[in-house]
């Protein structure tokens, strides 16, 4: 027999958990005491529970395995919600363990009591409260197995007094294997293959779900003679310099992609659970492959194939052997690719004494980072400019996808560096996003992380300012009065530097990357510059 707190620690060790992100609180004292007596699980004390949950979400996005965050009862649990919502929206496995009031206080008018299951239920695949020590083994097992298999959030609340009680639960050596099996329908795949063979002007959209099969997706597009569109999540899975790549789709996409869509007769979607339908021609036939039926889009001209890409693509490759490639279309795609490349150079052509445009910053950075760098993106105008202007080779973007929360960047960069300490990590954050979790810079210092933190400083919530103006409103509540971020960095023991002109940009980034130290670059940028892609659509789009 052992205390519940010790059981949890030993069980997590057995399952290979190496990090826990959290904030100390009295409902967790017994568990924290247990963590402090061992060395295999690294506890990362954060400044705010939302940042702890965002770190767990970022780790899960990078590894695909359940990541763990903890918080105390009441406000600690509530503060977790934003980060857990990011994991929920992007379908990544996170287990949240929270303290709850003592069992005899449950349901009463006690300080910091809130029914946690009611709070968590909209965001969780599984949520429960442990009120008896015998339950801890089966509950913990179900939480981890559910998070791993269903790719989502699982939550276990444990009453404060239960942590101290003895349990007879036994350590389970392994979690059940995660099943990825999907039984594809041969008729479904063959029917879709007929559409592929008949297509004269195809395009392929690769999503985040295609990253693991990127080489196969690229070969498929090449054999099909199709232009390649990359979602933000797929950016870097196929190099932007590939002659068939036309950029992205949506507000962060390229003009070349819109021109190609206007002429295409088939769009093949591989592993993209979301795409901006208002950027797709109304009557364009769509063929979508995904392993999850809930990811299939509601579209009147869409044929779906429920299968893993590594099952369907080899069959399609064989069927394409009987198809004659439309060389005129392939040549046109390569011309659009050249325009896509030229578009970037035209929008980033600035003199050395000019103030830096965000697109120039992102394009310059793309030429200086390592091929395998992890780029942690906050949410804002710079996210769209990353998609438009950063030319990827094999870098991995780490971002808040469907939740799109500001404040994601810095916590994500910390988790990325802890998860992959030998890889180069760069964080790109807006001045508004950074201020949401500015205190986590000390967490980065305390964890001895080394990465480049770039602040896009235009004294504005740029994306919101643009959206308000585009909607016909006068921008209001979007201007920021910023601190001196370099002084803040220095107060935290971090090297910092102001960058104010284009002429200083490249050297500042190069020097910062070469130091292998935690460094902040405060880059003074122009006011928001993003143009509205939707106005450039040359076709009748979907609603």
């Amino acid at each position: 027999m052992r205390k519940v707190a010790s059981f949890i620690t030993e069980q997590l060790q057995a399952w290979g958990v190496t990090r826990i992100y959290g904030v100390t609180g009295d409902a967790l004292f017994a568990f924290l005491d247990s963590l402090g007596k061992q060395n295999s699980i690294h506890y990362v004390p954060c400044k705010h529970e939302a940042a702890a949950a965002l770190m767990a979400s970022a780790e899960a996005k990078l590894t695909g395995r359940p990541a763990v965050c903890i918080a105390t009862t009441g406000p600690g649990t509530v503060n977790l919600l934003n980060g857990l919502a990011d994991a929920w929206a992007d379908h990544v496995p996170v287990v949240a363990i929270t303290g709850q009031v003592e069992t005899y206080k449950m349901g009463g008018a006690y300080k910091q009591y809130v029914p946690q299951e009611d709070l968590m239920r909209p965001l969780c695949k599984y949520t429960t409260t442990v009120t008896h020590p015998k339950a801890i083994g089966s509950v913990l097992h179900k939480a981890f197995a559910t998070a791993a298999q269903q790719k989502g959030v699982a939550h276990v609340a444990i009453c404060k007094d239960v942590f101290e009680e003895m349990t007879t639960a036994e350590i389970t050596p392994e979690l059940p294997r995660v099943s990825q099996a999907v039984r594809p329908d041969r008729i479904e795949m063959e029917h879709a293959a007929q559409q592929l063979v008949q297509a004269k002007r195809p395009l392929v959209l690769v999503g985040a779900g295609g990253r693991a099969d990127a080489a196969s997706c690229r070969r498929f597009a090449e054999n099909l003679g199709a232009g390649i569109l990359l979602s933000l999540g797929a950016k870097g899975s196929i190099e932007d310099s590939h002659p068939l790549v036309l950029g992205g789709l949506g507000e962060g996409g390229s003009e070349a992609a819109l021109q190609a869509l206007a002429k295409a007769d088939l769009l093949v979607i591989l592993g993209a659970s979301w795409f901006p339908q208002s950027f797709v021609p109304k009557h364009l036939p769509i063929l979508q492959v995904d392993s999850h039926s809930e990811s299939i889009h509601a579209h009147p001209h869409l044929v779906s194939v429920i299968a893993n890409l590594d099952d369907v693509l080899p069959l399609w490759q064989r069927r394409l052997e009987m198809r004659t490639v439309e060389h005129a279309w392939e040549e046109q795609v390569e011309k659009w690719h050249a325009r896509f490349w030229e578009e970037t150079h035209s929008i980033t052509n600035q003199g050395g004494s000019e103030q830096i445009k965000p697109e120039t910053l992102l394009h310059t950075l793309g030429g200086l980072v390592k091929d395998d760098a992890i780029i942690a993106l906050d949410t804002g105008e710079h996210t769209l400019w990353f998609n438009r202007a950063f030319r990827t080779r094999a870098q991995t973007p780490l971002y808040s996808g469907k939740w799109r929360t500001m404040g994601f960047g810095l916590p994500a960069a910390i988790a990325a560096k802890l998860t992959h300490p030998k890889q180069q990590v760069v964080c790109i954050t807006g001045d508004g996003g950074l201020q949401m979790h500015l205190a986590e810079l000390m967490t980065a210092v305390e964890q001895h992380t080394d990465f480049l933190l770039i602040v896009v400083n235009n004294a504005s919530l740029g994306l919101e300012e643009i959206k308000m103006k585009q909607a016909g409103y006068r921008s209001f509540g979007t201007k920021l009065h910023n601190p001196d971020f370099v002084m803040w960095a220095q107060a935290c023991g971090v090297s910092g530097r102001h960058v104010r002109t284009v002429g200083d940009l490249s050297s500042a980034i190069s020097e910062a990357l070469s130091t292998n130290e935690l460094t902040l670059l405060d880059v003074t940028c122009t006011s928001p510059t993003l143009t509205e892609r939707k106005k450039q659509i040359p076709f009748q789009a979907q609603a």
Side-chain angles (χ1 to χ4, degrees):
M1 291 179 66
R2 54 176 71 80
K3 287 185 177 180
V4 167
S6 298
F7 172 85
I8 297 171
T9 301
E10 292 178 37
Q11 183 62 88
L12 298 189
Q13 288 173 331
W15 289 340
V17 173
T18 56
R19 261 174 311 280
I20 293 176
Y21 308 94
V23 177
T24 299
D26 62 356
L28 295 171
F29 283 170
F31 181 41
L32 290 166
D33 178 68
S34 176
L35 285 177
K37 294 175 180 176
Q38 54 80 55
N39 296 313
S40 59
I41 298 177
H42 175 52
Y43 176 62
V44 182
C46 304
K47 305 298 178 269
H48 196 282
E49 291 89 353
L54 287 172
M55 290 180 200
S57 180
E59 179 182 315
K61 290 176 183 183
L62 290 170
T63 67
R65 300 189 300 272
V68 182
C69 58
I70 62 173
T72 191
T73 188
T77 298
V78 171
N79 282 344
L80 281 179
L81 293 178
N82 187 54
L84 295 181
D86 181 75
W88 163 76
D90 283 351
H91 302 287
V92 294
V94 169
V95 176
I97 299 173
T98 60
Q100 179 57 290
V101 297
E102 294 90 336
T103 50
Y104 66 88
K105 294 180 180 177
M106 291 284 287
Y110 294 94
K111 69 177 179 68
Q112 297 192 335
Y113 170 72
V114 65
Q116 294 184 15
E117 292 177 46
D118 292 343
L119 281 175
M120 294 287 185
R121 193 165 287 112
L123 304 177
C124 291
K125 300 290 186 181
Y126 173 72
T127 177
T128 195
T129 302
V130 178
T131 59
H132 194 283
K134 286 186 177 180
I136 189 61
S138 59
V139 163
L140 209 59
H141 187 272
K142 185 170 183 178
F144 272 79
T146 301
Q149 181 63 55
Q150 298 187 31
K151 302 297 183 186
V153 179
H155 165 245
V156 178
I158 303 171
C159 290
K160 181 180 178 180
D161 50 334
V162 173
F163 276 115
E164 293 276 14
E165 295 182 20
M166 304 298 289
T167 180
T168 57
E170 296 184 7
I171 301 296
T172 305
E174 295 179 350
L175 286 165
R177 180 178 60 85
V178 175
S179 172
Q180 302 289 354
V182 177
R183 295 185 64 183
D185 187 298
R186 184 63 177 251
I187 296 176
E188 192 175 66
M189 292 191 295
E190 293 285 4
H191 173 62
Q194 292 177 11
Q195 274 195 286
L196 289 173
V197 171
Q198 294 168 5
K200 303 295 184 183
R201 303 181 302 279
L203 294 175
V204 173
L205 170 63
V206 181
R211 288 196 78 94
D213 298 287
S216 296
C217 292
R218 184 184 65 248
R219 286 193 298 272
F220 167 71
E222 290 169 345
N223 292 339
L224 187 60
I228 301 172
L229 309 178
L230 298 170
S231 74
L232 178 58
K235 198 170 173 66
S237 62
I238 301 173
E239 63 276 13
D240 281 339
S241 61
H242 191 289
L244 295 179
V245 169
L246 304 177
L249 180 62
E251 287 295 351
S254 69
E255 189 174 352
L258 295 177
Q259 293 169 348
L261 282 163
K263 301 295 185 182
D265 64 359
L266 178 67
L267 176 63
V268 183
I269 301 177
L270 304 177
S273 61
W274 178 86
F275 72 96
Q277 294 195 19
S278 59
F279 283 80
V280 176
K282 189 171 184 179
H283 299 294
L284 178 64
I286 297 176
L287 178 58
Q288 184 181 359
V289 183
D290 206 286
S291 57
H292 301 288
S293 57
E294 66 267 25
S295 296
I296 300 298
H297 304 283
H299 186 281
H301 305 292
L302 185 146
V303 172
S304 64
V305 176
I306 307 302
N308 291 321
L309 290 176
D310 57 2
D311 285 327
V312 70
L313 289 181
L315 182 145
W316 284 357
Q317 294 279 30
R318 293 192 295 272
R319 297 296 176 268
L320 290 177
E321 292 174 1
M322 65 183 72
R323 175 180 178 272
T324 301
V325 174
E326 296 290 330
H327 293 292
W329 173 250
E330 194 168 4
E331 290 171 4
Q332 180 59 64
V333 168
E334 291 180 2
K335 290 178 182 178
W336 280 319
H337 169 78
R339 292 182 195 174
F340 162 57
W341 214 252
E342 291 165 4
E343 178 185 340
T344 306
H345 287 291
S346 65
I347 62 177
T348 60
N349 184 20
Q350 288 192 268
S353 61
E354 290 186 66
Q355 191 176 21
I356 301 159
K357 295 193 294 187
E359 53 266 43
T360 302
L361 165 62
L362 273 299
H363 184 59
T364 302
L365 178 67
L368 297 173
V369 296
K370 293 181 178 180
D371 286 0
D372 66 344
I374 298 170
I375 312 296
L377 291 164
D378 215 306
T379 300
E381 183 199 11
H382 61 276
T383 316
L384 298 178
W385 276 125
F386 174 85
N387 212 0
R388 289 192 191 181
F390 188 103
R391 291 291 156 259
T392 51
R393 297 178 298 280
Q395 293 86 6
T396 301
L398 179 61
Y399 61 100
S400 179
K402 292 181 180 176
W403 193 240
R404 299 185 182 183
T405 180
M406 288 176 61
F408 178 83
L410 179 54
I414 295 169
K417 196 62 187 180
L418 292 173
T419 305
H420 296 292
K422 294 183 179 180
Q423 278 184 253
Q424 186 181 74
V425 174
V426 177
C427 175
I428 307 167
T429 180
D431 40 9
L434 177 60
Q435 290 189 78
M436 287 190 168
H437 289 302
L438 196 55
E440 301 305 330
L441 189 58
M442 276 309 302
T443 305
V445 172
E446 293 164 358
Q447 296 303 310
H448 306 289
T449 55
D450 57 289
F451 58 87
L452 173 56
L453 172 60
I454 296 177
V455 186
V456 183
N457 188 343
N458 60 5
S460 171
L461 299 176
L463 190 57
E464 305 311 313
E465 181 177 329
I466 290 168
K467 286 181 176 180
M468 288 189 79
K469 290 178 179 178
Q470 290 175 351
Y473 299 110
R474 179 176 63 90
S475 61
F476 182 77
T478 60
K479 296 301 181 184
L480 298 174
H481 183 74
N482 291 329
D484 187 320
F485 292 113
V486 171
M487 291 184 66
W488 175 267
Q490 292 170 347
C492 295
V494 175
S495 299
R497 175 176 172 180
H498 293 287
V499 186
R500 295 190 170 93
T501 63
V502 173
D504 292 334
L505 182 60
S506 181
S507 60
I509 294 174
S510 296
E511 290 172 18
L513 290 172
S514 67
T515 63
N516 295 319
E517 295 179 356
L518 180 58
T519 306
L520 181 146
L521 292 184
D522 182 352
V523 183
T524 302
C525 287
T526 60
S527 297
T529 58
L530 198 71
T531 53
E532 189 175 3
R533 275 279 181 252
K534 197 169 286 187
K535 289 185 176 180
Q536 299 171 312
I537 291 177
F539 47 75
Q540 182 184 6
Q542 300 177 48

